[in-house]
Amino acid sequence: MAQKQKVAYVCENCGYDSVRWYGQCPSCKSWDSLKEFREAPATAAPVRTPAVPAGRVQSIDEIATDDELRFATGFSELDRVLGGGAVRGSIVLIGGEPGIGKSTLMLQICHSLSRNGGVLYASGEESARQIKLRADRLGVRGRDISVLAETNLDRILDVAEKTNPAFLIVDSVQTVYRPGVGAAPGNLTQIKECTMALLRLAKDTGAVVFVVGHVNKEGEIAGPKILEHMVDCVLYFEGEKQNAYRILRAAKNRFGSTNEIGVFEMRDTGLAEIANPSEAMLAGRPAGVPGTCITAVMEGTRPILAEIQALVARSSFGNPRRMASGVDYNRAVLLLAVLENRAGLMLGGSDAYVNVIGGLKVDEPAADLATVLALASSFRDRPVSAETVAIGEVGLTGELRRVSAIEQRIAEAARMKFRRCVCPDFGTASLRVPEGIELIRVRSVTDALAAAIEG
Ligand code: TYD
Ligand code: MG
């Protein structure tokens, strides 16, 4: 007879746990988010001797850091997001919508990883044959890559114990289960127990574990936030399915910064990394048409040029529609108000749509000026010159404010052969300006419209 299981209720949203069920989480106030959680009987976990003796106190000066071993994944874009490669003994969660390319990415990195040790690719989603067919198409091969189509995590762990791989990939955490746990795969209890077991494997054997997780409709990894708390690194693979570009973003990283992104393109031969994202984001850009303006955003330490498009159209209803994709909706509405009140554009009776090309998400005030110019350009039906970039934050009085890393942004624009950069007057007087680009320093939105929109 199995040991009596302890029942708790855990909030899927914030990880709050309680002995009784509530309709609304007392901690984060979300509704219907408390799910039953049964702790697995203690016997389910295999006992291993940890690689590091428990509880030894060391002076911080004496702790050796040189043994933080990192492995190249074969994609420098992924390595950068990880903080310089996959760290030995770490567990990395890769989340994304179905069909975005998580399995493809995992299969492709097997090739490079296998140069540093055995790789075990365990999939609960596809058969070994399906994986092989895809691997053939992606050109992934090698004796050191083993494939296991299995949903029983205990069997996966058994195989891992016997073959001792340096890298274990589990695709996906929602499809695997531990038989001792007594809950269906994908259930909160299962997800937590499976991740715990994988975490133990990573810490005890020093293997790097990659876990794939699907996201729910809110765009978060299905399962509780506690899953994110448990792992070392959480990466999100984003993009629109109809668009070939994919962006890999770190939401959490114990071994590096979280503001680096990796840019990929899905081709018929698999994922290819984009070393020059600015070029990719600007490809196919229309020239000499109203409603588009280029800006430079910082993604981590890298400047990337992005195209912001806007369409202002006469509204056929009393209540004009506003839509923003890639920029914050409230920010777009605020900029519309500034245009109307400070620059005198009568936008009140018009629908306005703003979109960032290439699936890029721009959440920086530095993109304000380009958004404003794209909107005004569409409204006036006059283009912004194709050789112009616009960088600057717009304040509520219509003033232009300085932004961070302006030199890097201008340098990227110059590298991409732009000839003019509209930027704030304040803080740009003593900048080193690269050859071939001219700074147009303006103080207000009105000045910027006069300088940038062809008339
Ligand atoms: P997949 O890696 O299966 O997504 P996930 O594991 O995140 O659910 O990616 C599937 C999509 O990628 C599918 O729609 C087909 C496309 N794809 C390509 O375009 N080229 C390729 O070489 C591969 C392997 C997939
Ligand atoms: Mg998949």
Side-chain angles (χ1 to χ4, degrees), residues 71 86 113-114 116-121 165-169 207-210:
F71 303 104
L113 290 178
S114 69
N116 296 303
V119 182
L120 177 59
Y121 182 99
F167 306 95
L168 171 64
I169 296 167
V208 185
V209 179
F210 290 93

Side-chain angles (χ1 to χ4, degrees), residues 298-354:
M298 295 301 290
E299 288 287 359
T301 51
R302 271 200 307 187
I304 295 180
L305 298 191
E307 179 184 355
I308 300 187
Q309 291 194 343
L311 178 64
V312 178
R314 253 189 50 144
S315 182
S316 32
F317 302 102
N319 205 0
R321 272 175 63 89
R322 267 84 217 263
M323 190 215 80
S325 135
V327 292
D328 180 51
Y329 173 81
N330 291 321
R331 193 83 200 162
V333 173
L334 181 149
L335 294 174
L336 282 163
V338 171
L339 269 177
E340 175 137 13
N341 287 284
R342 307 291 174 204
L345 267 60
M346 302 314 281
L347 294 157
S350 305
D351 295 340
Y353 307 90
V354 179

Side-chain angles (χ1 to χ4, degrees), residues 60 93 113 297 306 330 341-342 369 383 441:
I60 196 160
L93 180 62
L113 290 178
V297 294
N330 291 321
N341 287 284
R342 307 291 174 204
L369 184 57
R441 298 166 51 223

Side-chain angles (χ1 to χ4, degrees), residues 362-395:
V362 175
D363 53 2
E364 267 199 289
D368 287 354
L369 184 57
T371 311
V372 160
L373 287 177
L375 282 163
S377 155
S378 172
F379 179 72
R380 291 194 180 155
D381 207 23
R382 295 264 181 274
V384 175
S385 152
E387 298 187 323
T388 300
V389 283
I391 304 164
E393 176 176 354
V394 172

Side-chain angles (χ1 to χ4, degrees), residues 235-256:
L235 308 183
Y236 280 97
F237 210 27
E238 299 171 349
E240 278 139 36
K241 258 177 259 168
Q242 56 276 34
N243 189 319
Y245 294 116
R246 302 282 184 268
I247 290 172
L248 192 66
R249 213 179 270 284
K252 162 178 177 179
N253 192 353
R254 289 197 179 131
F255 304 107

Side-chain angles (χ1 to χ4, degrees), residues 102-103 125-126 134 171 214:
K102 301 179 296 296
S103 306
E125 307 219 326
E126 289 154 308
R134 185 190 300 217
D171 189 2
H214 295 294

Side-chain angles (χ1 to χ4, degrees), residues 58-366:
Q58 280 175 287
S59 155
I60 196 160
D61 289 347
E62 286 165 10
I63 301 170
T65 50
D66 48 13
D67 57 3
E68 183 190 282
L69 252 179
R70 289 190 183 259
F71 303 104
T73 59
F75 284 122
S76 53
E77 294 288 298
L78 174 58
D79 290 345
R80 195 184 43 250
V81 176
L82 287 169
V87 176
R88 185 173 183 275
S90 69
I91 176 162
V92 180
L93 180 62
I94 302 204
E97 283 177 25
I100 206 76
K102 301 179 296 296
S103 306
T104 308
L105 181 70
M106 289 297 104
L107 203 52
Q108 281 184 268
I109 63 173
C110 286
H111 201 87
S112 280
L113 290 178
S114 69
R115 284 189 211 126
N116 296 303
V119 182
L120 177 59
Y121 182 99
S123 176
E125 307 219 326
E126 289 154 308
S127 69
R129 206 182 105 83
Q130 282 171 316
I131 296 167
K132 171 68 179 161
L133 285 175
R134 185 190 300 217
D136 279 348
R137 212 145 50 76
L138 298 172
V140 173
R141 66 187 69 218
R143 293 182 60 85
D144 288 333
I145 304 173
S146 319
V147 171
L148 176 63
E150 179 61 74
T151 51
N152 182 340
L153 188 76
D154 287 357
R155 283 197 213 135
I156 297 174
L157 292 174
D158 274 349
V159 172
E161 199 154 6
K162 287 196 190 90
T163 57
N164 200 18
F167 306 95
L168 171 64
I169 296 167
V170 177
D171 189 2
S172 64
V173 71
Q174 279 94 1
T175 51
V176 293
Y177 72 99
R178 303 195 68 186
V181 171
N187 176 290
L188 182 65
T189 311
Q190 279 293 1
I191 290 182
K192 192 179 167 196
E193 286 298 327
C194 290
T195 313
M196 274 309 282
L198 290 169
L199 180 71
R200 231 173 286 127
L201 177 94
K203 301 299 164 197
D204 293 353
T205 67
V208 185
V209 179
F210 290 93
V211 183
V212 170
H214 295 294
V215 297
N216 56 21
K217 54 184 182 305
E218 283 85 39
E220 282 164 7
I221 291 169
K225 270 272 181 275
I226 38 180
L227 190 61
E228 297 196 4
H229 300 330
M230 278 154 58
V231 300
D232 296 309
C233 193
V234 180
L235 308 183
Y236 280 97
F237 210 27
E238 299 171 349
E240 278 139 36
K241 258 177 259 168
Q242 56 276 34
N243 189 319
Y245 294 116
R246 302 282 184 268
I247 290 172
L248 192 66
R249 213 179 270 284
K252 162 178 177 179
N253 192 353
R254 289 197 179 131
F255 304 107
S257 122
T258 51
N259 50 22
E260 296 292 350
I261 65 160
V263 185
F264 295 85
E265 186 182 358
M266 182 62 94
R267 303 202 176 134
D268 47 6
T269 50
L271 288 160
E273 49 190 345
I274 303 290
N276 188 351
S278 295
E279 192 183 315
M281 293 302 152
L282 301 188
R285 158 173 82 106
V289 296
T292 157
C293 185
I294 309 298
T295 190
V297 294
M298 295 301 290
E299 288 287 359
T301 51
R302 271 200 307 187
I304 295 180
L305 298 191
E307 179 184 355
I308 300 187
Q309 291 194 343
L311 178 64
V312 178
R314 253 189 50 144
S315 182
S316 32
F317 302 102
N319 205 0
R321 272 175 63 89
R322 267 84 217 263
M323 190 215 80
S325 135
V327 292
D328 180 51
Y329 173 81
N330 291 321
R331 193 83 200 162
V333 173
L334 181 149
L335 294 174
L336 282 163
V338 171
L339 269 177
E340 175 137 13
N341 287 284
R342 307 291 174 204
L345 267 60
M346 302 314 281
L347 294 157
S350 305
D351 295 340
Y353 307 90
V354 179
N355 182 34
V356 182
I357 299 295
L360 207 63
K361 290 199 172 46
V362 175
D363 53 2
E364 267 199 289

